[in-house]
Amino acid sequence: MERNSVTENFSREDYTVGWICALAPELAAAAAMLDETYAPPAVFQQDPNDSNVYSCGRMGQHKVVIVSLGAGMPGKVPASTTATSLLRSFPKIRFGLMVGIGGGIPAKIAEDSADDIRLGDVVVSVPHVESGGVVQYDHGKIVHEGQFVQTGSLGKAPTILLKAVQRVQAQHDMQGSSIPELLEKILQDRPKMAIKCQRPDAEDCLYQAHRCDARHLVQRPARDSDEPVIHYGLIGSADRVMLHGPTRDYLRTAKNIICLEMDAAGLMDKLSCLVIRGISDYADTHKSDRWHGYASIVAAGYAKELLTVVPEPTREPTAVELMPVSD
């Protein structure tokens, strides 16, 4: 069957993966990763309170429904509302993938390649110590002498996804990632996407946190390849854009956060979810849209790689059944 051809529709109960995006480039990247696109579910009457617009298709052996938060509507409240409506309209969703862009927090020691986050890399949320993978770093209380103390914790990704992440890590160690091949094929099939989704020619510049001008570039060794490096760790989520280098660096030092974004905190307790972010900026005053397309499509490429190793069960448990049990 021709890739991305529209075929007969399916029941809403056939869809088991919810893919959530926030921005238009992320939505385009997700749709481009589908192996087939499908018509809306048969006899599908959308709930009057569900304002989502869905795209349906197949990725590998999984039937996937893609949904966005809406133009100009980032943040945890729209994300929470989107997830709630998704589960109401597609009751057999097993888990969610929040896929898109994020701000990378670079390591201070750039020579350590494991921590050397650069533009176009991918960060995947995985549990660390007492955190489930996503940290709502602006949620807490002010205590003695004005000190801010973070309170509460968010849910973590379902075990089946965390095991799939480990499997993908092993595959990458043995044979590398298939993201470059996926990207090449997509740009061949859809040449118009190359305008926004090719790796930018712009230089990847990281500035010192306290001195954001061209005289204070951080000197980093050149990489052997332009292929994205995959990083695993904590992703910080808040209802505000981070444009401050010193605060960004503090979050890495104090909380082990390696990437920042604005939406995932609204999802984690509604839909058992893994967060995948392509790095489009360094969360400082040099933030721009230049890397959005490329960062979106490499994140989507990782998500597709992940789904290839997630088994499709004979009876699909629901998202509620897959929510991690509290310790």
Side-chain angles (χ1 to χ4, degrees):
M1 184 176 294
E2 182 183 355
R3 184 176 182 271
N4 283 308
S5 60
V6 177
T7 67
E8 74 275 10
N9 54 33
F10 292 88
S11 163
R12 64 178 187 157
E13 283 79 15
D14 290 320
Y15 291 90
T16 58
V17 178
W19 183 308
I20 302 99
C21 306
L23 304 174
E26 302 168 355
L27 193 60
M33 290 292 166
L34 290 172
D35 297 310
E36 295 175 350
T37 59
Y38 297 146
V43 198
F44 178 54
Q45 293 183 342
Q46 193 159 326
D47 189 286
N49 295 318
D50 180 359
S51 59
N52 290 342
V53 176
Y54 299 106
S55 299
C56 301
R58 178 183 63 81
M59 203 173 293
Q61 61 183 329
H62 302 278
K63 291 184 176 64
V64 179
V65 57
I66 301 171
V67 62
S68 68
L69 305 189
M73 295 176 62
K76 64 177 183 288
V77 173
S80 177
T81 302
T82 297
T84 299
S85 295
L86 169 67
L87 293 175
R88 183 183 299 121
S89 293
F90 292 86
K92 296 298 183 180
I93 294 294
R94 299 167 61 202
F95 53 76
L97 298 173
M98 183 82 199
V99 187
I101 64 171
I105 306 184
K108 291 186 177 181
I109 304 174
E111 290 78 7
D112 183 352
S113 60
D115 289 330
D116 184 20
I117 293 177
R118 303 199 183 186
L119 300 183
D121 285 355
V122 176
V123 173
V124 182
S125 65
V126 296
H128 177 80
V129 191
E130 297 180 354
S131 297
V134 176
V135 178
Q136 189 176 350
Y137 64 87
D138 65 344
H139 185 265
K141 58 185 179 181
I142 304 298
V143 295
H144 181 63
E145 296 181 352
Q147 182 182 3
F148 178 81
V149 176
Q150 181 183 329
T151 58
S153 60
L154 299 171
K156 64 181 179 180
T159 301
I160 192 170
L161 286 185
L162 296 177
K163 290 187 176 183
V165 164
Q166 196 170 54
R167 174 73 177 275
V168 171
Q169 284 182 282
Q171 288 184 349
H172 288 178
D173 288 343
M174 291 186 293
Q175 59 195 39
S177 171
S178 64
I179 293 175
E181 289 76 19
L182 285 171
L183 178 56
E184 181 180 6
K185 181 66 166 60
I186 285 172
L187 297 186
Q188 285 177 351
D189 293 345
R190 299 174 175 81
K192 287 187 177 180
M193 290 190 72
I195 298 172
K196 293 185 177 180
C197 292
Q198 277 187 331
R199 182 180 172 88
D201 293 330
E203 187 177 356
D204 180 356
C205 295
L206 172 64
Y207 298 88
Q208 295 178 21
H210 294 276
R211 297 180 178 87
C212 275
D213 61 66
R215 296 172 298 169
H216 297 94
L217 281 172
V218 176
Q219 300 302 315
R220 298 178 291 176
R223 282 183 173 174
D224 296 333
S225 169
D226 284 337
E227 294 183 5
V229 174
I230 315 301
H231 307 269
Y232 301 90
L234 295 184
I235 292 179
S237 186
D239 261 335
R240 64 190 71 182
V241 177
M242 177 63 69
L243 297 173
H244 190 247
T247 302
R248 170 203 69 192
D249 288 355
Y250 164 79
L251 290 172
R252 176 151 193 164
T253 301
K255 301 182 182 295
N256 295 302
I257 294 171
I258 62 174
C259 174
L260 300 173
E261 57 92 78
M262 296 178 60
D263 314 298
L267 284 179
M268 303 306 294
D269 291 328
K270 298 289 184 180
L271 172 62
S272 198
C273 189
L274 186 76
V275 184
I276 302 166
R277 294 296 186 186
I279 300 303
S280 62
D281 59 79
Y282 290 121
D284 59 14
T285 56
H286 295 274
K287 180 181 176 69
S288 74
D289 296 344
R290 188 173 297 173
W291 286 78
H292 278 194
Y294 180 75
S296 296
I297 207 161
V298 294
Y302 179 89
K304 182 166 184 172
E305 273 194 304
L306 185 77
L307 287 179
T308 64
V309 302
V310 176
E312 184 74 2
T314 54
R315 186 197 75 82
E316 297 88 352
T318 66
V320 173
E321 292 173 325
L322 280 168
M323 287 295 287
V325 178
S326 300
D327 294 333

